[in-house]
Amino acid sequence: MRNYWIGAFTILAVAALLIPTTPIFNPNDAEKTPRSANFSAKREQTLKLSAVQNDMNATAMLCTSECSKDFQKLMNASMGSKSEANGHIKQMMHEHMHMSYISWISGDRSVSRGIIPKTTNGQAEAFVDEAKAQVSKGAKYESAAFNAKDGSRYMVLGVPDTKHTGIGVVGVIKQDIVKSVEKHQMRNLRLVPYPAEGNYKIESVKPNSTVDTTVRSGEDNANASHYHVRDVVVHFTKPLSDTEMQRIKNEINAESVKKMGDTFVFRSKNIETKQLMQYFKQSWNTEYTEPHYLYLTNETTESIVPNDALYSEYQWNLPSIEAEKGWNVSKGDEQVIVAVLDTGVQSNHPDLKGKLIEGINLVDEEAEPDDDVGHGTHVSGIIGATVNNGEGVAGVSWFNKIMPVKVLDSSGAGSTYTVAQGIIWAVDHGAKVINMSLGNYAEADFLHDAIKYAYERDVVMIAASGNDNTDRPGYPAAYPEVFAVAATDSNKEKATFSNYGDYIDVAAPGDSIASTYPGSQYAALSGTSMASPHVAALAGLIRSVNPELSNVEVMEIMRKSAIDLGDEGKDNYFGYGEIDVEKALQAASSFGGALQTYPDLVKRRLEHITTKYERN
């Protein structure tokens, strides 16, 4: 029998070599070797802390730059009277809640609105007076950041009118967004234990097991999965009768039962997961019984340069992946929907206006899928922040619609049930691409079933690999149906925090990425969570330029068009390389059918089987 299969595989391999194919692109020579991923825990922590500080600094600069542009617009607006000026300022402060105080300096027409925050020794008032003095002289002013008695962080900004001496705007800007980024990134880069045990009624365990482990530091997160302590996921071999279901509820003292297809999530009032698993395995016929795992927040063409206010100065990531050239081929299509399974999205963010379609909140089905963390809004902006509107940042896609599916709660965590439910909901409501900037180190058959459901219905699924600088496979990224993404920095090197391994498909920018953030603001965040949406947006563009492509063909085009980095060919740090939007879209627009990708698909399948056989 074994010789039969070897012979069959040989025939397939030969067939793959004989099938005619047109090259998708001319491969680049490999130039760089990635920096070693084998950091000590102390060194890794130092690098991650540096990344957090860089994100905080970049976010503060984004805040200052955006406010400066807004103040310029305020001065350029027609202000024939104090009442008109007052109206403009009132509207601006309503749209930008972080602007605590604005003073328009214009002689007799000067207008001030808002409140200067209380500080020790009148520090805020002193900064405002200095700003007004500098603006009156025609000079720009930026104070140092300071903390007020209300506990918030502020800075004072003065912007002079470049056309009229003595005229300008002075504002007190609340910068709590910087503190929010710090808190978010300490968790996102796993510098603190996350989620904290007890917060989510969860237990930390060694990956793919129920063996207890204690997470004392962020480093420990790389070797832990998490599950609900009184939950169990069960897939029965045959449907249960009402009598059988009632019996189960009585015997496990059920608190709740959730169902999706033939799979159930049982929660007991007093029996823990290990005992529940033992009960179902011994008393019932099941296909699988597993913990209810948690998933966390893991130049040949003329360039099109957007006029978005923060683009040229802060968005290194889009030129790096040749988005500016790729937009000549496709800017996206409203009919191709990209679902974002995350913490929700700020629905009224001015830079996402008109880009969102109806979504769902699966954490609280009575509420809208609003973002109470910031992660989902940031991811959505990378995919599709409005381009060429003179505001904020530019997304990778100009026209693809974004479907917000809230599967993570206010702590940035969500269960496999919710994530699986989100995948199925997105598929059933028309999503053609799904981005999952989330994950953990446990395989869950329950979630895998949902992923197979989407895959069989021709959906492209993209997932972040994780931020622990480990080669331990993270899920859902490591499932074969999912396209796994690692992160690069602005030097096209492996981002220090990025996970790696033989399951990585491609890499994309993930270091200090500027994007939309709640409060109608902008922030810079680092993580493979930021890399993944670049690839999801590319998948949306590919499906826009050639709607006939299957999900398998879309993924193969992204692999084959990637720019090779590191060791020649596919490697564990970059997969097939960093995505190239222009080459991918050119390949998609001239794609000739399945015969082009078939040899590579067969080759990779054989390599996968061989590797699996060697491991066993």
Side-chain angles (χ1 to χ4, degrees), residues 52-202:
V52 172
Q53 190 60 56
N54 288 340
D55 288 347
M56 292 170 64
N57 293 340
T59 298
M61 288 190 290
L62 285 169
C63 180
T64 302
S65 296
E66 184 66 12
C67 288
S68 295
K69 301 286 195 306
D70 289 333
F71 287 179
Q72 289 286 359
K73 290 179 183 178
L74 184 62
M75 288 181 282
N76 293 335
S78 175
M79 293 188 181
S81 65
K82 289 183 68 172
S83 61
E84 188 175 350
N86 189 58
H88 280 287
I89 294 171
K90 182 178 180 181
Q91 178 64 25
M92 177 171 284
M93 294 183 74
H94 175 73
E95 293 175 353
H96 302 282
M97 303 298 288
H98 54 290
M99 296 182 180
S100 301
Y101 169 87
I102 294 179
S103 178
W104 183 54
I105 304 166
S106 182
D108 294 338
R109 294 187 303 163
S110 296
V111 176
S112 296
R113 288 189 65 89
I115 299 173
I116 299 175
K118 300 295 182 183
T119 53
T120 305
N121 301 325
Q123 187 181 31
E125 287 86 350
F127 282 142
V128 169
D129 290 342
E130 178 64 19
K132 289 180 177 179
Q134 292 297 321
V135 166
S136 296
K137 296 175 185 178
K140 188 174 181 179
Y141 177 85
E142 292 181 20
S143 76
F146 60 91
N147 291 321
K149 290 183 177 179
D150 62 8
S152 291
R153 166 179 164 145
Y154 294 87
M155 63 87 62
V156 176
L157 176 66
V159 179
D161 188 329
T162 56
K163 299 177 182 177
H164 305 93
T165 304
I167 295 177
V169 175
V170 170
V172 180
I173 313 301
K174 183 184 287 188
Q175 289 192 322
D176 281 350
I177 186 175
V178 178
K179 292 183 176 181
S180 175
V181 165
E182 178 183 30
K183 181 179 178 181
H184 181 281
Q185 289 301 82
M186 290 293 285
R187 298 186 309 183
N188 188 43
L189 297 181
R190 307 297 190 258
L191 281 161
V192 294
Y194 177 59
E197 292 191 13
N199 256 13
Y200 213 96
K201 294 184 179 178
I202 59 95

Side-chain angles (χ1 to χ4, degrees), residues 551-600:
N551 57 355
V552 174
E553 291 167 337
V554 171
M555 291 189 284
E556 197 64 18
I557 284 173
M558 291 194 293
R559 293 186 188 102
K560 295 295 292 182
S561 61
I563 301 302
D564 193 15
L565 300 177
D567 294 337
E568 185 175 357
K570 185 179 187 296
D571 62 61
N572 287 353
Y573 299 103
F574 305 102
Y576 288 86
E578 186 177 66
I579 59 169
D580 186 306
V581 174
E582 182 195 20
K583 288 189 175 181
L585 295 181
Q586 292 285 7
S589 63
S590 60
F591 190 79
L595 287 180
Q596 281 186 260
T597 57
Y598 182 75
D600 295 295

Side-chain angles (χ1 to χ4, degrees), residues 44-45 62 107 150 167 308 439 483 489 503 549 586 596:
E44 183 176 337
Q45 183 182 43
L62 285 169
D150 62 8
I167 295 177
D308 300 80
F483 201 79
D489 62 19
Y503 66 98
L549 292 171
Q586 292 285 7
Q596 281 186 260

Side-chain angles (χ1 to χ4, degrees), residues 198-389:
N199 256 13
Y200 213 96
K201 294 184 179 178
I202 59 95
E203 184 65 61
S204 298
V205 293
K206 293 181 180 179
N208 288 312
S209 74
T210 56
V211 179
D212 288 348
T213 186
T214 300
V215 177
R216 296 187 179 89
S217 68
E219 177 69 14
D220 293 336
N221 279 296
N223 294 302
S225 296
H226 312 278
Y227 67 89
H228 297 257
V229 294
R230 290 180 285 104
D231 282 14
V232 66
V233 177
V234 183
H235 185 100
F236 296 97
T237 55
K238 62 179 183 179
L240 297 177
S241 66
D242 292 342
T243 302
E244 289 173 321
M245 178 57 69
Q246 189 57 51
R247 175 190 155 193
I248 290 173
K249 290 180 179 179
N250 293 338
E251 290 180 349
I252 70 169
N253 196 16
E255 179 179 310
S256 64
V257 179
K258 293 182 179 180
K259 179 184 179 184
M260 190 165 62
D262 296 325
T263 305
F264 294 82
V265 179
F266 294 96
R267 174 167 295 175
S268 171
K269 294 179 180 178
N270 58 345
I271 303 175
E272 295 197 356
T273 298
K274 291 179 184 178
Q275 288 71 40
L276 289 172
M277 290 176 64
Q278 186 177 15
Y279 162 77
F280 280 104
K281 288 178 179 179
Q282 291 178 349
S283 304
W284 301 90
N285 293 322
T286 64
E287 288 191 13
Y288 58 78
T289 303
E290 64 188 16
H292 189 191
Y293 290 110
L294 274 176
Y295 280 78
L296 313 174
T297 75
N298 138 169
E299 191 88 40
T300 56
T301 306
E302 184 179 352
S303 298
I304 297 175
V305 181
N307 66 11
D308 300 80
L310 302 174
Y311 181 80
S312 296
E313 190 172 356
Y314 296 103
Q315 289 192 266
W316 65 268
N317 47 313
L318 298 192
S320 179
I321 58 174
E322 302 295 358
E324 295 175 351
K325 297 176 185 176
W327 289 331
N328 286 289
V329 183
S330 176
K331 297 182 178 71
D333 186 326
E334 291 186 354
Q335 300 304 311
V336 179
I337 298 166
V338 180
V340 176
L341 270 63
D342 217 291
T343 61
V345 182
Q346 182 195 335
S347 59
N348 62 347
H349 195 293
D351 225 358
L352 293 171
K353 185 177 180 181
K355 298 304 294 290
L356 305 176
I357 64 170
E358 183 180 357
I360 190 171
N361 185 336
L362 294 171
V363 176
D364 178 1
E365 297 189 29
E366 299 299 319
E368 294 296 316
D370 294 325
D371 188 0
D372 43 15
V373 177
H375 194 268
T377 300
H378 197 273
V379 166
S380 297
I382 293 171
I383 294 170
T386 305
V387 187
N388 255 7
N389 64 344

Side-chain angles (χ1 to χ4, degrees), residues 434-446:
I434 295 176
N435 183 78
M436 295 177 286
S437 291
L438 47 82
N440 209 324
Y441 297 104
E443 292 185 76
D445 289 331
F446 179 37

Side-chain angles (χ1 to χ4, degrees), residues 31-60:
E31 295 179 354
K32 294 187 177 181
T33 300
R35 292 177 179 174
S36 171
N38 298 318
F39 303 126
S40 66
K42 184 176 180 181
R43 175 63 173 159
E44 183 176 337
Q45 183 182 43
T46 300
L47 291 169
K48 286 185 176 182
L49 286 171
S50 176
V52 172
Q53 190 60 56
N54 288 340
D55 288 347
M56 292 170 64
N57 293 340
T59 298

